[in-house]
Amino acid sequence: MAEVEDKKRYWLWGELDAPSNEILKKIQLSINERLGGPTFDLHLTLSGPFYDINQDRLNQIEAFSIRNRQLSIKPRSYQAKDLFFQSLFLEIEKSVELSDLKNTLDSQLGLDSELFYPHISLFYGLKDQATKQSVINQLLTIPKSLILDKISIVEIGEGVESWRVLYQYPLMKNLYALNTIGRPI
């Protein structure tokens, strides 16, 4: 029993380029000033969980990042749900390119592609819908697009504060660039 509980879990995140991250970080800070949520790295969950990291898996993800370009993603709207990890977030358009990226990663990891609801959480916590809607009504205008520029392997523990990005793999701006890129953080 303890062996299952102690098993580490890993997820693949899509992370944003610096300008996109900066815009959303300002929005996240504004929300947290009003709602008091935990701080966490902004990300779009792409795949997981998986329970082991071996060199073959790292090589596959690195090769994937070298073969794939940065992706422009389109925010649709601010949304709120009565779920801790989807409390207040930015819904992302489920484009063919984004779905293909997720499905390819799932296939490489040997995972079943589950229902994919692309979003970037801005607040984790349980607050009533009216309070969250009041905050949404005061937020900055949604950016027209964001750039997903890296894939990260993240170790997920029980609390948000325990989450750790272990590896980051930049997606290529130019598919003709080829170099060794995946490095532990």
Side-chain angles (χ1 to χ4, degrees):
M1 176 81 168
E3 184 178 317
V4 172
E5 290 172 7
D6 292 340
K7 201 167 205 178
K8 293 182 179 180
R9 294 176 295 156
Y10 306 97
W11 293 78
L12 289 185
W13 285 357
E15 293 194 77
L16 304 169
D17 70 347
S20 299
N21 194 63
E22 187 177 320
I23 292 167
L24 292 189
K25 201 64 171 167
K26 285 179 186 175
I27 296 169
Q28 182 188 43
L29 290 172
S30 170
I31 293 168
N32 279 340
E33 284 176 4
R34 296 179 188 134
L35 299 179
T39 57
F40 54 90
D41 292 334
L42 296 168
H43 64 278
L44 190 153
T45 301
L46 293 170
S47 192
F50 54 100
Y51 301 96
D52 67 321
I53 297 177
N54 56 44
Q55 194 57 51
D56 184 50
R57 180 159 280 162
L58 295 175
N59 292 343
Q60 286 179 327
I61 295 169
E62 182 174 31
F64 175 87
S65 72
I66 291 170
R67 289 188 315 267
N68 285 275
R69 226 178 260 227
Q70 294 179 358
L71 185 62
S72 177
I73 57 175
K74 184 178 178 192
R76 294 181 63 168
S77 62
Y78 292 113
Q79 295 291 325
K81 290 186 178 182
D82 286 327
L83 301 169
F84 185 87
F85 290 114
Q86 287 183 11
S87 189
L88 197 156
F89 57 92
L90 191 56
E91 182 181 14
I92 303 298
E93 183 177 290
K94 190 175 176 179
S95 68
V96 170
E97 296 84 5
L98 184 57
S99 293
D100 286 349
L101 181 107
K102 188 243 187 308
N103 292 335
T104 302
L105 288 167
D106 283 346
S107 177
Q108 281 191 343
L109 293 170
L111 299 174
D112 292 331
S113 288
E114 296 184 15
L115 180 62
F116 183 43
Y117 182 62
H119 68 281
I120 298 172
S121 289
L122 300 169
F123 169 75
Y124 292 150
L126 298 173
K127 299 286 183 181
D128 65 84
Q129 287 296 102
T131 301
K132 289 187 286 191
Q133 190 58 53
S134 173
V135 169
I136 287 171
N137 293 342
Q138 298 172 31
L139 292 178
L140 296 171
T141 303
I142 295 171
K144 294 206 180 297
S145 69
L146 302 165
I147 303 296
L148 198 67
D149 78 337
K150 61 187 133 327
I151 305 289
S152 298
I153 299 176
V154 183
E155 182 180 344
I156 301 294
E158 287 305 312
V160 173
E161 65 284 344
S162 71
W163 297 357
R164 289 186 320 132
V165 175
L166 301 177
Y167 299 90
Q168 287 184 327
Y169 298 91
L171 295 169
M172 297 292 106
K173 273 189 178 183
N174 177 349
L175 287 182
Y176 300 108
L178 183 65
N179 55 21
T180 303
I181 53 178
R183 298 285 176 247
I185 293 180

